[in-house]
Amino acid sequence: MITDWLRAPDVWVLTPLVAGLVCALALTLTRRWLPPERPLWLICRALVICAALSAVYGVATARMPKSGGAAVLVCFSSHGSLSTLHMVSRLVGCGLILGTLIPCLIEGRSLAQMGWRWRRAGWYAVGGLAAGLLLATAAPGPGPPPDLAEALSLRPERGWALVPMLPVSFVAACAAFGLLAGWSEENVFRGHLMPALASAGLSPRWANVLQAVVFAFYHVPAHAVAGTPADYAGPAWALVVAWLIVFGLWGLLFGFLRQRTGSIVPGFALHTSSNAMRYVFRHGPLAVMVARLHG
Amino acid sequence: MRHQTDASRIAPDPTRSAWLAVALSIIALAGGMVCLEIIHRSEYLGLLKRAPAAWSDPQVRRFSESLSLASLAEPKRSAAAMRWVALMRESGELTAMAWWQYGLLGAPGDGQDVRCEAYRNALLAAPDTSPRLAMFLRVLSRELVRSGRADEVGGLLRATIQRPRDTQTQARLLAAAMGPLTHAGHPEEALRLHTSTLASYPQLAGQDRVRLAFGRALAAAGRKDQAREVLAELLHADSPRVRERAQAELRALRGARSDDH
């Protein structure tokens, strides 16, 4: 009986855990021959972690229905416990195993070395959250999927009924993205890869540029799997270039914040809030509310 | 720079900690496997309790096949399929909503054919009195047009428009079928649909929604003077929504005219 679900399609929700385990095992077994104390091997091993994170991100994007997440945050969950397990699996696989256990316990980097310094952390967090809010307000995205708005069957004058859901959805999105994007990606790219590049003798500027390049490529599989936006008619390569530029610039900004302040907290706060805000604006109750109020 | 130097330092060989990380990963994976097993068992048992007859139902079988899952003899299903199959036993409206939501949220990787099938089932399952008939028809027409099957929309409308008794719902249905055709660059097809439907249902000619859809199709087909005439009459329509939309269309037409100049 226990092997029944191994043949079932739902087993993909365990991908982050499997990726975390395989990565941890591979890096542990190769520790003697490819020691992270040598800068070159340290960089290669960091790239393996990035590749594992990227693969998990791609699989999760391919397997999750496009509006599923929106449904969860708006008013109902169509995928129930499986969706919850998927979220927990990503939090543990990406946030805990790939983003914390591997850099700290296997690669030997402490949280303080990764940039988790608490001096002025409160100010950095507030600044990052405010900047994320401003960015999301400036570019709120295309709004909710039309069918989802239809699903709610709200009349325009009843759009305000969704206001009480805003803080809940924002806190939920911050918690989820804080661990998924903020914690795991910041730890791996700015906390581990960037110092690894610096230890190979690269100047801080070049270390930042290279980690931003890797950060940009990290996003490509997931976005390629998600497909082109419905209103996009140009060639696919132009879209990939656009993704690389956008995510590369984000990576540069996060790396710059890390180097400038010596702390990973500002990048973490900005990363979390920009992701969470974009989600709330594009898929959450605010998107539906705005869409309904403006017809 | 100081931070960089600090950060680049790596602790001496922590082999024991590395194995600890592996052990914790194994525990996490084992926990995930147990959770998945529990979810599958509880969903399956819950379904059997709620709807014991569901598995022999041909509609359920078709539904399961459309989810690309294994044969019905095996109790391995996605949680989503379980939930919808259980919902299907409830009522016509709920069944229709379940199909519609399946088309909307879908199983990952589903193609347009599966979505069309789900929307078609939603339309079939909806009671004749359902206020959502037009919505189901619109999403299905849109999917058909997107997948290059615009010619099927006419037949679909003819089959559906006979079902409701009231003129208003019939008008909504005609407008719902014309909309996707107009927006997806088939305005002539929409106009043909309009003409053929009005031949059988002349009472729809005076309905504001139908006239609005007609005006839009005329505008999209490039017959702008005629479109302006039809839309201008709608500026005095009873429904404020229709008035607003007619006004917006007229504004767009005026914009297009100034662009031409």
Side-chain angles (χ1 to χ4, degrees):
Chain A
M1 193 58 150
I2 192 83
T3 55
D4 265 358
W5 51 262
L6 275 177
R7 294 193 298 273
D10 298 346
V11 81
W12 66 270
V13 298
L14 300 179
T15 308
L17 295 171
V18 173
L21 175 62
V22 168
C23 196
L25 207 55
L27 292 178
T28 301
L29 289 173
T30 55
R31 213 179 184 289
R32 182 169 293 176
W33 299 283
L34 311 172
E37 288 76 18
R38 289 196 182 169
L40 179 64
W41 293 130
L42 180 62
I43 294 171
C44 291
R45 293 163 71 89
L47 290 176
V48 168
I49 307 173
C50 298
L53 263 187
S54 183
V56 170
Y57 188 11
V59 170
T61 310
R63 300 297 311 205
M64 275 303 273
K66 280 181 185 161
S67 307
V72 170
L73 271 191
V74 173
C75 58
F76 55 91
S77 164
S78 62
H79 295 265
S81 39
L82 198 67
S83 172
T84 310
L85 180 60
H86 172 232
M87 185 57 87
V88 172
S89 163
R90 276 188 80 183
L91 290 177
V92 174
C94 299
L96 186 66
I97 301 177
L98 288 167
T100 314
L101 289 181
I102 293 179
C104 291
L105 294 184
I106 301 178
E107 303 300 279
R109 200 182 290 286
S110 69
L111 283 178
Q113 284 175 331
M114 284 204 274
W116 290 100
R117 294 187 172 85
W118 303 109
R119 198 166 157 263
R120 295 190 193 158
W123 289 110
Y124 291 149
V126 170
L129 285 170
L133 176 62
L134 279 177
L135 284 170
T137 320
D147 291 347
L148 181 68
E150 255 171 21
L152 293 173
S153 305
L154 285 175
R155 296 195 177 284
E157 64 274 14
R158 283 168 56 195
W160 295 111
L162 288 168
V163 167
M165 292 178 70
L166 281 179
V168 176
S169 75
F170 179 64
V171 169
C174 269
F177 285 108
L179 282 166
L180 280 179
W183 181 269
S184 61
E185 291 176 13
E186 287 307 311
N187 273 357
V188 168
F189 290 95
R190 263 68 63 180
H192 186 51
L193 178 63
M194 195 162 72
L197 290 165
S199 69
L202 286 175
S203 68
R205 186 175 296 171
W206 277 107
N208 188 16
V209 169
L210 280 183
Q211 69 79 21
V213 169
V214 179
F215 184 66
F217 276 97
Y218 152 80
H219 284 89
V220 170
H223 282 74
V225 164
T228 51
D231 53 349
Y232 180 76
W237 64 264
L239 204 60
V240 174
V241 171
W243 290 334
L244 288 176
I245 292 172
V246 169
F247 292 115
L249 288 175
W250 273 111
L252 277 178
L253 175 62
F254 296 139
F256 172 77
L257 288 172
R258 164 83 174 87
Q259 287 178 337
R260 183 78 185 201
T261 60
S263 168
I264 208 169
V265 178
F268 167 75
L270 179 62
H271 200 153
T272 300
S273 72
S274 59
N275 277 245
M277 290 292 184
R278 194 188 51 166
Y279 192 83
V280 171
F281 270 76
R282 281 180 71 164
H283 300 294
L286 189 60
V288 178
M289 196 175 78
V290 169
R292 301 308 298 182
L293 288 174
H294 293 280
Chain B
M1 275 306 288
R2 189 174 60 81
H3 299 303
Q4 280 298 322
T5 319
D6 284 351
S8 0
R9 209 168 48 220
I10 285 291
D13 183 9
T15 307
R16 199 175 293 170
S17 325
W19 283 110
L20 176 65
V22 172
L24 289 174
S25 311
I26 290 172
I27 292 170
L29 182 59
M33 287 158 72
V34 170
C35 287
L36 196 54
E37 174 67 13
I38 290 170
I39 288 173
H40 274 255
R41 280 191 190 207
S42 60
E43 293 281 355
Y44 176 60
L45 293 177
L47 176 77
L48 286 185
K49 213 171 178 181
R50 284 196 301 268
W55 299 108
S56 56
D57 189 310
Q59 202 185 10
V60 173
R61 184 181 292 275
R62 202 147 55 99
F63 178 78
S64 298
E65 280 165 4
S66 75
L67 281 169
S68 316
L69 294 176
S71 75
L72 281 170
E74 293 287 335
K76 45 182 195 269
R77 306 268 172 274
S78 78
M82 295 282 193
R83 187 146 300 142
W84 295 136
V85 169
L87 269 177
M88 287 175 67
R89 310 307 307 163
E90 302 291 334
S91 71
E93 187 73 27
L94 211 52
T95 307
M97 288 300 282
W99 277 116
W100 170 73
Q101 292 217 341
Y102 174 63
L104 166 61
L105 299 173
D110 281 347
Q112 266 172 333
D113 286 346
V114 175
R115 273 204 300 279
C116 280
E117 186 63 17
Y119 289 143
R120 196 185 297 276
N121 287 336
L123 190 61
L124 289 175
D128 294 350
T129 51
S130 168
R132 294 185 181 84
L133 265 185
M135 181 179 88
F136 295 143
L137 181 67
R138 185 167 59 245
V139 289
L140 176 54
S141 305
R142 192 167 59 204
E143 247 1 272
L144 287 173
V145 172
R146 271 186 198 158
S147 52
R149 290 151 67 187
D151 51 323
E152 290 180 32
V153 175
L156 189 68
L157 174 68
R158 275 191 295 281
T160 314
I161 204 165
Q162 313 165 355
R163 292 167 55 185
R165 299 267 174 243
D166 62 305
T167 311
Q168 262 198 340
T169 311
Q170 288 175 330
R172 277 172 191 268
L173 287 171
L174 176 54
M178 287 174 70
L181 287 170
T182 304
H183 291 305
H186 303 279
E188 295 296 349
E189 187 73 30
L191 291 172
R192 263 197 299 278
L193 196 62
H194 178 258
T195 313
S196 62
T197 311
L198 287 196
S200 315
Y201 299 89
Q203 70 275 22
L204 300 185
Q207 290 290 320
D208 289 344
R209 283 171 195 280
V210 173
R211 286 160 70 203
L212 181 64
F214 181 50
R216 282 174 166 170
L218 284 171
R223 290 150 68 176
K224 293 185 179 165
D225 288 335
Q226 243 179 307
R228 251 177 239 118
E229 207 174 297
V230 173
L231 292 168
E233 287 171 16
L234 289 173
L235 292 178
H236 309 290
D238 293 337
S239 156
R241 209 178 165 109
V242 170
R243 280 203 303 268
E244 262 172 42
R245 287 182 178 182
Q247 208 157 24
E249 285 293 328
L250 279 171
R251 215 175 299 128
L253 276 173
R254 268 197 292 276
R257 188 165 55 181
S258 59
D259 284 351
D260 292 347
H261 286 220

